[in-house]
Amino acid sequence: MDFSHKNIAELRDLLKSGRTSAVELLDFFINKIKQEDADQVDAFLEIFEDAEEQARLADERIKAGDDAPLLGVPVALKDNILYQGHIASAGSKILEDYVASYSATVVRKLQKAGAVIIGRTNMDEFAMGSSTETSAFKVTKNPNDPSRVPGGSSGGSAAAVAAGFVPFALGTDTGGSVRQPASFCGVVGFKPSYGAVSRFGLVAMGSSLDQAGPLTRTVSDTKLVFSILAGKDQNDATTMPLDMLQEHKTHKVKKVGVPRAYMQEGVDAQVLDRFNEAMNTLRQEGFEVVDIDLPSFDYALSAYYIIMPAEVSTNLARFDGLRYGLQIEGESYEESFKKTRAAGFGREVKRRILLGSFVLSSGYMDAYYYKAIAAREKIRRELADLFKTVDIIATPTSPTPAFKLGEKTDPLSMYAADIFTVPVNIAKVPAISVPVQPVSRDGAQLPSAVQFIAPEMHDFPLLDFAETFEKIYADNNKQ
Ligand code: GLN
């Protein structure tokens, strides 16, 4: 049987009814990865040797009547998610041989639900980038067109799902790193509300922005995985109890707002066409779709590129050549600190550490950092007000389809690719990227996607709405 494009729900049915086993599934996916990943997609950094053992144990649990929701289903982890006893390098030379001494809460929850962790996927170094090209190890290709990027920074996870190497994967999203690669590769990508999912055991980038999220083939699968991952964790003081999310569960979405003015510049004409078609589908189904104004969104990207590097510079201070990973000895602590970091970090990481140290230094802190924090508050308040009048905000996920490998050499043009995803992390709200019909570019069909944004803690109504959209859009495009 070909399992490559089956979703979690379908695989679970096959497993439950005994038509396949966890070991058979795993072997299928590992063989596919062995045949098609190296030099073609390059999504994986490593296939874990103990995956076979995990699958065997899953089969035993199935035989014993265990009905855990992910039992026997393979999953890939982005390389910045700790899994005890396995390397987690965050795409960086500085952590190339770092073996995790404990597992992230999200990993523990996946294991409890019975998932088989197959391996770790390539990513932009420390999750900094939108193309997976800043990885210290290799460049991942977009399975829809190998001359193009898979997006980033969770490009390996998105490409792995799109290529049919795994039914789902985990990524992390600080400014779009789950949603944008999902959009480029043609899969579903979800960034939960800040605090909905534990960050314990993720390699931190921007601690007030980071969230782990799933990449799946369907919105229903995302809903399933999210309901497993979400909830209070005593190891992450910013997490919320599940009740807080469930309180909003019955909220019905009726009205969708489109920030037209924010979508004026730089949006590809075909991407905009696909987006408008999606809005028409919603209208035909009785949703009200209205234009809205979000003037403060204009400041979101600038605020992000101050707050994020500030948090990066503090978070990455721990890589000092003593505590973790790479260690290059010098005459003194200072010298070995300098040598280790000079050799261990790539250009983009160094750029952000410099930028972050600058905006936090005395004299500049008021001029930049505090202004960005004020802008963030303004954006959050404006959004909260707006959500009194609409239930959901819709935008394209990315202004363009996947760009060519090596195309964006100027960092600023790379940063601009995050224009629709970054405000979501700044505002701490949840958002999902759902694929729509592809656009054509240079003879290739490239995925495109819409992003739906909901108020903080409205993750469940957002996912229900996205599920409805996915269904009506598919029905519409069948005819
Ligand atoms: N592309 C954005 C950046 O480079 C977002 C990264 C992320 O979400 N991890 O910062």
Side-chain angles (χ1 to χ4, degrees), residues 304-332:
Y304 174 78
Y305 276 97
I306 291 173
I307 294 168
M308 175 273 296
E311 294 184 6
V312 158
S313 71
T314 34
N315 273 326
L316 271 55
R318 74 189 65 167
F319 301 103
D320 58 358
L322 281 184
R323 280 175 279 197
Y324 302 91
L326 187 71
Q327 192 160 40
I328 300 180
E329 294 219 10
E331 295 286 303
S332 60

Side-chain angles (χ1 to χ4, degrees), residues 7-163:
N7 59 43
I8 299 175
E10 292 164 342
L11 292 176
R12 277 292 298 149
D13 279 347
L14 292 170
L15 284 162
K16 273 198 274 192
S17 63
R19 276 173 289 165
T20 187
S21 66
V23 169
E24 187 187 5
L25 270 191
L26 181 77
D27 287 346
F28 171 86
F29 286 112
I30 288 186
N31 276 333
K32 188 165 170 80
I33 295 164
K34 281 199 178 132
Q35 282 163 24
E36 297 170 27
D37 191 39
D39 305 322
Q40 295 177 62
V41 183
D42 278 324
F44 278 90
L45 289 172
E46 184 184 352
I47 297 298
F48 295 139
E49 269 174 17
D50 63 1
E52 203 74 39
E53 177 63 13
Q54 294 176 54
R56 228 181 34 71
L57 289 174
D59 280 332
E60 275 175 22
R61 277 170 72 179
I62 294 171
K63 275 208 196 86
D66 191 336
D67 196 24
L70 295 173
L71 194 51
V73 180
V75 60
L77 301 178
K78 186 177 179 179
D79 189 32
N80 60 350
I81 301 176
L82 304 198
Y83 175 24
Q84 187 171 21
H86 299 77
I87 290 179
S89 75
S92 181
K93 281 259 172 254
I94 213 159
L95 288 176
E96 188 166 7
D97 304 314
Y98 169 73
V99 176
S101 53
Y102 65 95
S103 286
T105 299
V106 288
V107 169
R108 293 232 281 271
K109 289 190 166 188
L110 286 179
Q111 284 179 311
K112 195 164 163 240
V116 173
I117 301 169
I118 197 168
R120 57 189 173 98
T121 56
N122 198 25
M123 57 180 281
D124 281 302
E125 186 176 5
F126 283 103
M128 300 176 199
S130 308
S131 66
T132 312
E133 291 167 300
T134 74
S135 165
F137 304 112
K138 56 183 172 187
V139 173
T140 301
K141 277 68 99 183
N142 191 316
N144 299 279
D145 174 352
S147 71
R148 291 177 188 270
V149 303
S153 62
S154 314
S157 284
V161 177

Side-chain angles (χ1 to χ4, degrees), residues 127-130 152-153 172-177 205 304-305 308 352 418:
M128 300 176 199
S130 308
S153 62
T172 60
D173 190 312
T174 303
S177 280
M205 179 182 168
Y304 174 78
Y305 276 97
M308 175 273 296
R352 295 191 192 199
D418 303 327

Side-chain angles (χ1 to χ4, degrees), residues 186-240:
V187 299
V188 176
F190 176 51
K191 198 291 283 183
S193 290
Y194 184 78
V197 172
S198 170
R199 288 176 295 113
F200 180 69
L202 309 185
V203 179
M205 179 182 168
S207 304
S208 76
L209 303 153
D210 298 343
Q211 271 292 287
L215 293 118
T216 65
R217 297 191 195 294
T218 63
V219 178
S220 324
D221 279 0
T222 284
K223 229 161 95 174
L224 172 71
V225 177
F226 173 67
S227 62
I228 291 163
L229 300 183
K232 181 87 195 148
D233 176 12
Q234 60 177 13
N235 290 316
D236 176 356
T238 62
T239 48
M240 321 263 174

Side-chain angles (χ1 to χ4, degrees), residues 190-197 211-214 219 222-224 226-227 229-231 240-242 244-251 253 387 391-392 424 428-432 452-467:
F190 176 51
K191 198 291 283 183
S193 290
Y194 184 78
V197 172
Q211 271 292 287
V219 178
T222 284
K223 229 161 95 174
L224 172 71
F226 173 67
S227 62
L229 300 183
M240 321 263 174
L242 207 53
M244 273 179 78
L245 288 162
Q246 268 152 355
E247 249 169 53
H248 304 287
K249 219 167 178 166
T250 52
H251 180 98
V253 171
F387 276 130
D391 304 303
I392 291 281
V424 168
K428 304 193 170 186
V429 295
I432 187 166
F452 296 118
I453 310 170
E456 213 169 335
M457 295 296 133
H458 283 59
D459 301 54
F460 284 118
L462 170 65
L463 293 172
D464 288 342
F465 168 76
E467 204 174 16

